[in-house]
Amino acid sequence: MAIPITVLDCDLLLYGRGHRTLDRFKLDDVTDEYLMSMYGFPRQFIYYLVELLGASLSRPTQRSRAISPETQILAALGFYTSGSFQTRMGDAIGISQASMSRCVANVTEALVERASQLIHFPADEAAVQSLKDEFYGLAGMPGVIGLLDCIHVAIKAPNAEDLSYVNRKGLHSLNCLVVCDIRGALMTVETSWPGSLQDCAVLQQSSLSSQFETGMYKDSWLLGDSAFFLRTWLMTPLHIPETPAEYRYNRAHSATHSVIEKTLRTLCSRFRCLDGSKGALQYSPEKSSHIILACCVLHNISLEHGMDVWSSPVTGPIEQPPEGEHEQMESLDLEADRIRQELMLTHFS
């Protein structure tokens, strides 16, 4: 005898059929303080996201009731900023934990689709020169158009046999390559590199490296720390400075590069799903990389809308490679060394 099986919709059980759009939570019914404490962003910013992502989040569905774009965005922001699918978060906006997960996936993909529009280097010479002027005004380092660093984000183990994501601390992670400007706006983000790769190897294989090796930005360079090799387009600090000019160069380099260190601390502080405080991202490497990229897109959008990138409290220093790794990064690129020597002679002597 065949037994009929009914597939239950958790949200349908909780809230009945009613309207086709699930709007249990209304932005106008709560205070700005509540929105900031629960979702990390103010009301007008959330309304802007609804306008920006609404079409992507209103795609046809075969489910009995679609969840509104507003509700999906709140669910995703709650996850990004808290780092976990908390029952109280779903209860607050009137959806189940299973629906929370679907909302995060939908909003993440909608943000990733817009990454190339919102994360990029300046396109014209005037904007590039403006970057150089701003960086020079900070600490006297000339020719700088961006700051480079890498950050590890913990993920669940893909499988027991795959060791490519195991970093030097024995944890599974993605090693993410990031470039920012003087305001902390992100200009390059590559989030899919396995954690076993050292920072210098990530850069070597990155699209960023290919872009700069073609000479797209002449007489310009990025600043990177001692985890990277010196290149003609990437200035690193001297491992053992000896002359007054070398000390002045290192001080200017450190003061300028500190902007990206602060930016990465703030990124992880605002988006707690990235900092590991609630555990690793419980997704595949591909989905985890998309979540990281989505948070980076939100970071840039918040800057465009006048939100202070460094207003969130930071939670300690970005982890640095051990000294033994730094010693291996001295460059054998004679042309790059010549450029750095000329830079110190011209600007720091």
Side-chain angles (χ1 to χ4, degrees):
M1 175 181 175
I3 301 177
I5 298 177
T6 303
V7 179
L8 301 179
D9 184 317
C10 298
D11 298 322
L12 194 60
L13 282 176
L14 286 172
Y15 305 114
R17 289 197 170 272
H19 299 291
R20 287 191 58 79
T21 301
L22 199 159
D23 287 315
R24 304 292 295 186
F25 183 91
K26 296 292 186 182
L27 278 176
D28 293 335
D29 293 342
V30 297
T31 64
D32 290 329
E33 291 76 14
Y34 175 83
L35 291 173
M36 286 295 297
S37 66
M38 287 290 287
Y39 308 106
F41 292 94
R43 187 186 314 275
Q44 291 307 313
F45 183 83
I46 296 172
Y47 279 136
Y48 173 77
L49 291 181
V50 172
E51 180 182 346
L52 178 68
L53 307 178
S56 298
L57 300 177
S58 301
R59 293 165 178 159
T61 175
Q62 295 181 351
R63 293 173 57 79
S64 58
R65 291 190 306 162
I67 300 176
S68 71
E70 181 179 292
T71 300
Q72 292 183 63
I73 288 167
L74 288 171
L77 292 179
F79 168 69
Y80 297 146
T81 58
S82 72
S84 61
F85 291 113
Q86 299 176 11
T87 301
R88 69 182 182 89
M89 190 70 68
D91 290 346
I93 55 180
I95 61 174
S96 65
Q97 186 165 330
S99 292
M100 277 281 296
S101 182
R102 289 192 295 272
C103 291
V104 170
N106 293 342
V107 174
T108 295
E109 291 311 305
L111 289 167
V112 167
E113 287 173 1
R114 291 158 177 79
S116 62
Q117 304 167 30
L118 295 164
I119 300 176
H120 54 80
F121 275 87
D124 60 86
E125 292 185 9
V128 171
Q129 185 58 49
S130 178
L131 270 180
K132 293 181 181 180
D133 295 341
E134 290 174 344
F135 276 121
Y136 186 78
L138 176 63
M141 182 69 75
V144 179
I145 61 171
L147 309 173
L148 168 70
D149 211 340
C150 285
I151 183 171
H152 284 263
V153 176
I155 63 172
K156 73 173 183 179
N159 57 65
E161 292 76 26
D162 189 354
L163 300 180
S164 64
Y165 291 92
V166 179
N167 61 32
R168 59 185 175 78
K169 299 184 73 173
L171 303 175
H172 290 80
S173 68
L174 291 169
N175 194 2
C176 305
L177 182 74
V178 179
V179 175
C180 79
D181 68 13
I182 196 169
R183 299 181 305 127
L186 306 179
M187 299 187 293
T188 288
V189 179
E190 298 186 25
T191 60
S192 60
W193 297 104
S196 63
L197 288 180
Q198 291 187 7
D199 294 357
C200 60
V202 168
L203 179 61
Q204 178 67 36
Q205 300 176 46
S206 68
S207 60
L208 175 72
S209 179
S210 300
Q211 182 180 353
F212 273 82
E213 289 290 350
T214 63
M216 180 178 295
Y217 299 102
K218 296 184 182 300
D219 301 319
S220 308
W221 38 75
L222 306 176
L223 294 189
D225 62 21
S226 298
F228 300 99
F229 288 111
L230 177 70
R231 300 190 185 191
T232 57
W233 49 267
L234 177 63
M235 294 293 104
T236 62
L238 290 108
H239 183 58
I240 304 177
E242 296 178 348
T243 68
E246 290 175 347
Y247 276 102
R248 284 192 285 270
Y249 166 85
N250 268 15
R251 284 196 295 270
H253 188 291
S254 177
T256 308
H257 192 265
S258 67
V259 172
I260 192 169
E261 296 165 5
K262 190 175 182 180
T263 298
L264 293 178
R265 286 197 298 269
T266 303
L267 185 70
C268 290
S269 178
R270 171 166 283 166
F271 301 105
R272 303 306 293 268
C273 66
L274 306 182
D275 74 353
S277 62
K278 298 295 179 64
L281 289 173
Q282 297 299 303
Y283 298 92
S284 68
E286 180 181 7
K287 289 184 178 180
S288 294
S289 71
H290 284 189
I291 288 172
I292 300 166
L293 183 54
C295 291
C296 292
V297 172
L298 285 172
H299 169 90
N300 274 11
I301 295 174
S302 67
L303 271 178
E304 286 186 0
H305 284 75
M307 295 181 63
D308 183 1
V309 64
W310 295 319
S311 61
S312 301
V314 296
T315 56
I318 291 290
E319 178 185 348
Q320 297 295 327
E323 287 299 316
E325 289 187 20
H326 280 184
E327 293 175 3
Q328 301 171 17
M329 296 300 109
E330 288 298 339
S331 175
L332 299 177
D333 187 330
L334 296 180
E335 178 62 13
D337 188 63
R338 184 196 65 77
I339 291 174
R340 185 169 65 179
Q341 291 295 331
E342 182 177 316
L343 178 64
M344 289 186 289
L345 178 65
T346 305
H347 294 276
F348 296 99
S349 294

